[in-house]
């Protein structure tokens, strides 16, 4: 079998495989989080319960910010690990870490303070930079 024919079969198989993978991963909404920033943000977003501190709830009620904007920061933000308080000393059930997440709301830089426990995430504060 000539080399050109082999390459043609290889490219056809590769194209079909990529289409197959793109179809199934699009349906599952799969996300591949291997880096610490992505894993931390995903663990916060996928908590069973996300609570807002009273001052945050007041901002949401006054329509100063929306939950979608907070979700955007939790999706596209950058975790400041040097400022965050990551607790690894306690048992897994009692372990809560406080993360400082840098992001943008209305093109203004903000810092979101989130306390992440095993089953609950608390949005504590929003600081404008």
């Amino acid at each position: 079998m000539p080399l050109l024919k082999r390459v043609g079969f290889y490219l056809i198989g590769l194209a079909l495989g990529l289409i197959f993978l793109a179809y199934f991963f699009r349906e599952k909404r799969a996300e591949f989080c291997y880096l610490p920033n992505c894993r931390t943000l995903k663990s916060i977003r996928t908590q069973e319960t996300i609570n807002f501190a009273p001052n945050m709830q007041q901002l949401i009620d006054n329509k100063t910010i929306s939950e979608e904007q907070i979700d955007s920061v939790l999706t596209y933000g950058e975790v400041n690990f040097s400022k965050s308080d990551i607790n690894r000393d306690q048992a897994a059930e009692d372990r809560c870490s406080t993360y400082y997440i840098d992001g943008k709301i209305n093109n203004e830089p903000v810092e979101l303070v989130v306390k992440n426990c095993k089953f609950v995430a608390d949005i504590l504060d929003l600081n404008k930079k």
Side-chain angles (χ1 to χ4, degrees):
M1 180 181 286
L3 180 65
L4 190 56
K5 201 172 190 179
R6 286 184 196 173
V7 170
F9 281 132
Y10 172 76
L11 291 176
I12 290 171
L14 181 68
L16 289 175
L18 289 175
I19 291 169
F20 179 77
L21 286 175
Y23 174 75
F24 280 105
F25 284 139
R26 181 176 44 101
E27 294 296 319
K28 292 171 85 173
R29 304 207 188 291
E31 196 174 350
F32 301 102
C33 287
Y34 296 112
L35 299 176
N37 186 64
C38 183
R39 288 174 40 189
T40 302
L41 292 175
K42 185 176 180 179
S43 76
I44 293 170
R45 284 192 317 265
T46 59
Q47 288 290 0
E48 292 177 7
T49 308
I50 296 180
N51 297 325
F52 295 100
N55 61 338
M56 290 297 296
Q57 191 62 48
Q58 185 178 15
L59 289 174
I60 293 170
D61 293 341
N62 293 340
K63 297 190 186 331
T64 306
I65 59 171
S66 67
E67 289 187 33
E68 289 81 21
Q69 291 171 322
I70 293 172
D71 189 49
S72 173
V73 172
L74 291 176
T75 303
Y76 302 110
E78 293 289 326
V79 179
N80 187 346
F81 287 104
S82 62
K83 196 173 182 181
S84 299
D85 178 27
I86 302 168
N87 192 354
R88 294 188 179 101
D89 297 333
Q90 296 176 341
E93 296 82 27
D94 300 333
R95 188 180 321 172
C96 291
S97 299
T98 303
Y99 295 103
Y100 291 83
I101 303 168
D102 298 326
K104 289 191 176 190
I105 294 179
N106 298 331
N107 289 327
E108 294 182 22
V110 295
E111 180 180 64
L112 195 64
V113 182
V114 180
K115 183 178 180 182
N116 190 26
C117 298
K118 186 169 182 173
F119 298 110
V120 177
D122 295 323
I123 312 292
L124 301 177
D125 201 6
L126 179 76
N127 305 318
K128 295 191 178 191
K129 290 185 171 185

